[in-house]
């Protein structure tokens, strides 16, 4: 709800991430600013496995986001890359990392979250490799950015025609 303050939004957030945002659960924080939070994932897929979320609730449906969500996804990617660079520099330099979203209904938390995994070549769970590489279960952040940019371009074209 865009009319709620961030504090009201966090109080209404019934997800596991709402608990983290309210301080009821204490993961290892890797980044925090006024609008975003990144923390270690409870499931250690690789040496670096973390999640980046907007503090304001956005449903976890990355391929169906409104065009005005483009800055959110750009910022999630930026934060994810900053964390990889800081925590796993060699993986960052080698491009050996993933920035990916689960696609519904294959997500366990319905609050938009970007998985940051590095080095991807050192993932320890076969299931993680399968899920994050299956086009119906997950998608790369760049795929979402392309969809949102294309959607923005279409909506701008329609506005110019009117």
């Amino acid at each position: 709800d865009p009319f709620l303050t961030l504090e009201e939004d966090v109080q209404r957030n019934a997800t596991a991430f709402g608990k983290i945002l309210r301080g009821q659960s204490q993961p290892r924080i890797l980044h925090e600013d006024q609008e975003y939070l990144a923390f270690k994932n409870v499931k250690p897929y690789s040496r670096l496995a973390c999640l980046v979320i907007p503090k304001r609730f956005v449903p976890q449906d990355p391929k169906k986001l409104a065009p005005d969500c483009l800055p959110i996804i750009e910022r999630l990617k930026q934060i994810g890359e900053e964390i990889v660079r800081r925590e796993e520099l060699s993986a960052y330099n080698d491009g050996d990392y993933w920035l990916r979203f689960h696609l519904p209904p294959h997500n366990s938390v319905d609050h938009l979250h970007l998985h940051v995994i590095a080095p991807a070549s050192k993932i320890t769970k076969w299931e993680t490799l399968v899920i994050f590489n299956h086009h119906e279960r997950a998608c790369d952040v760049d795929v979402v950015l392309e969809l949102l940019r294309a959607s923005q371009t279409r909506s701008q074209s329609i506005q110019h025609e009117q």
Side-chain angles (χ1 to χ4, degrees):
D1 185 339
F3 300 107
L4 294 177
T5 66
L6 178 58
E7 185 177 329
E8 291 168 331
D9 188 86
V10 167
Q11 289 305 317
R12 289 187 181 189
N13 188 332
T15 71
F17 299 159
K19 289 181 179 181
I20 292 169
L21 291 166
R22 289 188 296 275
Q24 297 167 335
S25 180
Q26 310 261 324
R28 180 169 161 239
I29 303 298
L30 298 174
H31 172 91
E32 184 169 14
D33 62 34
Q34 287 184 317
E35 297 179 25
Y36 298 90
L37 182 69
F39 49 91
K40 285 284 234 180
N41 194 335
V42 294
K43 301 172 187 169
Y45 305 124
S46 192
R47 288 194 311 249
L48 173 63
C50 75
L51 303 169
V52 186
I53 65 170
K55 289 183 176 180
R56 187 172 289 279
F57 179 81
V58 177
Q60 177 74 14
D61 202 350
K63 287 189 170 181
K64 293 185 179 174
L65 294 171
D68 62 352
C69 288
L70 177 61
I72 295 170
I73 302 304
E74 289 172 332
R75 184 68 178 131
L76 293 176
K77 179 181 179 181
Q78 179 186 30
I79 293 167
E81 287 182 334
E82 289 170 2
I83 292 169
V84 174
R85 191 177 321 127
R86 184 181 69 232
E87 302 285 325
E88 288 288 341
L89 183 60
S90 61
Y92 178 81
N93 289 337
D94 294 341
D96 187 15
Y97 62 94
W98 289 347
L99 304 176
R100 299 199 176 160
F101 295 101
H102 284 298
L103 298 174
H106 306 287
N107 52 292
S108 59
V109 180
D110 189 37
H111 180 127
L112 187 66
H113 56 286
L114 178 66
H115 286 262
V116 178
I117 302 172
S121 63
K122 303 287 186 199
I123 291 174
T124 56
K125 290 181 68 181
W126 175 251
E127 177 186 9
T128 302
L129 286 168
V130 171
I131 290 170
F132 279 107
N133 280 303
H134 193 287
H135 72 281
E136 291 179 3
R137 292 176 172 248
C139 67
D140 192 85
V141 68
D142 288 329
V143 170
V144 176
L145 287 169
E146 285 177 35
L147 290 170
L148 289 170
R149 289 179 182 130
S151 181
Q152 262 192 349
T153 302
R154 279 193 304 278
S155 64
Q156 288 170 351
S157 295
I158 292 168
Q159 288 173 355
H160 289 302
E161 292 172 7
Q162 292 175 349

